[in-house]
Amino acid sequence: MQILEVLKQSIIEGNEEHAARYAGDAIAERIDAKIILDDALIAGMNVVGEKFRTHEIFLPDVLLSAKAMYAALAKVRPLFLKEKIPSLGKVVIGTVQGDLHDIGKNLVGIMLEGAGFEVIDLGTDVAPERFVDEAVARDAEVIGLSALLTTTMPGMGKVVKILKERGLSGKIKVIIGGAPVNDEFCREIGADAYCFDAANSVATVKKLLGQSTSRAE
Ligand code: B1M
């Protein structure tokens, strides 16, 4: 699909205007929102990540790509939220303390919202205590933690520890995700589940809450 390739390219190049326009074009071509997300937006950011890793591009370029990604995401987002479904539960979500990466976290939020969960997004650089305080205050069943830096991953363990100290383990479930996170780390800190990607987060949260995962997500 030609349009997905040019959309992906506009994200790699950090061209906000093109990204928004081509995302609109892809929608007009009736390409499935999930395919636009996976094959153009996330695929584009993956290339950006690799170029950044190999020093082919630098931080300002990455920021431009992130802006382009958001411009495209703003067009695609309403497609995920079209159907208004009764709330399946509340999820408090955020990026852990010291970490400003929010693209993956926002995708997870969109997927969960689209599936019918009420998502309370605390943003980035969120202190461990705040996750727990907000989850309790909002009566949330799940806390979703995102971390992209190896240095900020320990913040996830702190949230699990605070829940334990307050006798909330098991009552409020914790799911974790982000590029440096894995299953082993999840077991190590005692979180309830690790999620590889945003699409998976819906099935994971439903499973944790004992809900059927049969509906397409
Ligand atoms: Co930074 N950055 N960054 N960065 N950045 C990484 C993470 C890095 C791997 C790049 C590299 O060196 N190769 C590296 C971390 C190295 C490490 O810790 N081992 C890094 C670094 C070092 C830094 C700075 C320290 C750079 C500096 O200042 N010298 C700095 C830190 C700032 C801070 O947070 N305090 C920094 C800054 C930035 C920008 C601001 C420029 C920008 C972020 C913009 C934004 O988010 N608004 C940025 C970006 C864009 C990246 C890369 C290139 C791309 C991340 C991304 O958005 N990917 C990244 C390289 C990489 O990851 N390959 C990199 C696309 C996104 C869709 O994927 O977030 O992984 P991801 O989310 C996935 C899954 O992980 C999962 O679902 C999503 C897909 O479906 N997922 C969850 C994520 N959260 C989840 C939560 C869940 C479930 C699934 O449940 C709750």
Side-chain angles (χ1 to χ4, degrees), residues 42 45-46 48-50 52-53 59 62-63 66 69-70 93 98-105 107-108 144-151 175-179 195-199 201:
I42 294 179
M45 282 311 292
N46 284 342
V48 172
E50 189 51 26
F52 185 49
R53 196 183 64 79
L59 218 52
V62 177
L63 261 179
M69 160 96 185
Y70 275 129
I93 195 171
D99 205 321
L100 302 175
H101 296 86
D102 63 1
I103 296 175
K105 181 264 296 170
L107 292 178
V108 173
L145 304 170
S146 181
L148 263 288
L149 299 171
T150 42
T151 49
I175 68 161
I176 63 170
C195 250
F196 171 72
D197 63 13
S201 59

Side-chain angles (χ1 to χ4, degrees), residues 93-102 105 121-131 143-160 174-178 180-181 185 189:
I93 195 171
T95 305
V96 297
Q97 196 160 40
D99 205 321
L100 302 175
H101 296 86
D102 63 1
K105 181 264 296 170
D121 189 342
L122 303 182
T124 59
D125 190 17
V126 182
E129 299 77 14
R130 186 155 171 242
F131 277 110
I143 296 177
L145 304 170
S146 181
L148 263 288
L149 299 171
T150 42
T151 49
T152 59
M153 284 164 62
M156 297 175 150
K158 287 184 189 160
V159 175
V160 175
V174 177
I175 68 161
I176 63 170
V181 181
F185 179 71
I189 65 169

Side-chain angles (χ1 to χ4, degrees), residues 43-214:
M45 282 311 292
N46 284 342
V47 175
V48 172
E50 189 51 26
K51 282 178 181 263
F52 185 49
R53 196 183 64 79
T54 55
H55 308 294
E56 205 181 313
I57 59 168
F58 300 96
L59 218 52
D61 309 299
V62 177
L63 261 179
L64 288 176
S65 290
K67 274 185 147 187
M69 160 96 185
Y70 275 129
L73 196 59
K75 300 270 178 190
V76 180
R77 191 172 186 267
L79 303 185
F80 283 97
L81 310 179
K82 239 198 225 151
E83 250 183 290
K84 195 70 201 150
I85 317 160
S87 177
L88 294 179
K90 286 186 201 164
V91 183
V92 164
I93 195 171
T95 305
V96 297
Q97 196 160 40
D99 205 321
L100 302 175
H101 296 86
D102 63 1
I103 296 175
K105 181 264 296 170
N106 290 341
L107 292 178
V108 173
I110 289 171
M111 294 286 181
L112 289 172
E113 249 187 295
F117 288 94
E118 190 180 326
V119 175
I120 300 138
D121 189 342
L122 303 182
T124 59
D125 190 17
V126 182
E129 299 77 14
R130 186 155 171 242
F131 277 110
V132 180
D133 290 344
E134 293 281 350
V136 171
R138 310 286 196 105
D139 215 6
E141 291 94 338
V142 179
I143 296 177
L145 304 170
S146 181
L148 263 288
L149 299 171
T150 42
T151 49
T152 59
M153 284 164 62
M156 297 175 150
K158 287 184 189 160
V159 175
V160 175
K161 192 164 168 264
I162 295 170
L163 284 171
K164 206 170 175 185
E165 284 165 0
R166 295 195 194 170
L168 295 167
S169 303
K171 290 183 194 134
I172 299 175
K173 312 274 188 192
V174 177
I175 68 161
I176 63 170
V181 181
N182 56 30
D183 253 326
E184 196 187 336
F185 179 71
C186 178
R187 279 194 297 275
E188 207 177 291
I189 65 169
D192 294 286
Y194 157 68
C195 250
F196 171 72
D197 63 13
N200 247 309
S201 59
V202 173
T204 307
V205 170
K206 282 186 172 180
K207 201 168 157 200
L208 279 178
L209 299 180
Q211 297 171 357
S212 159
T213 54
S214 59

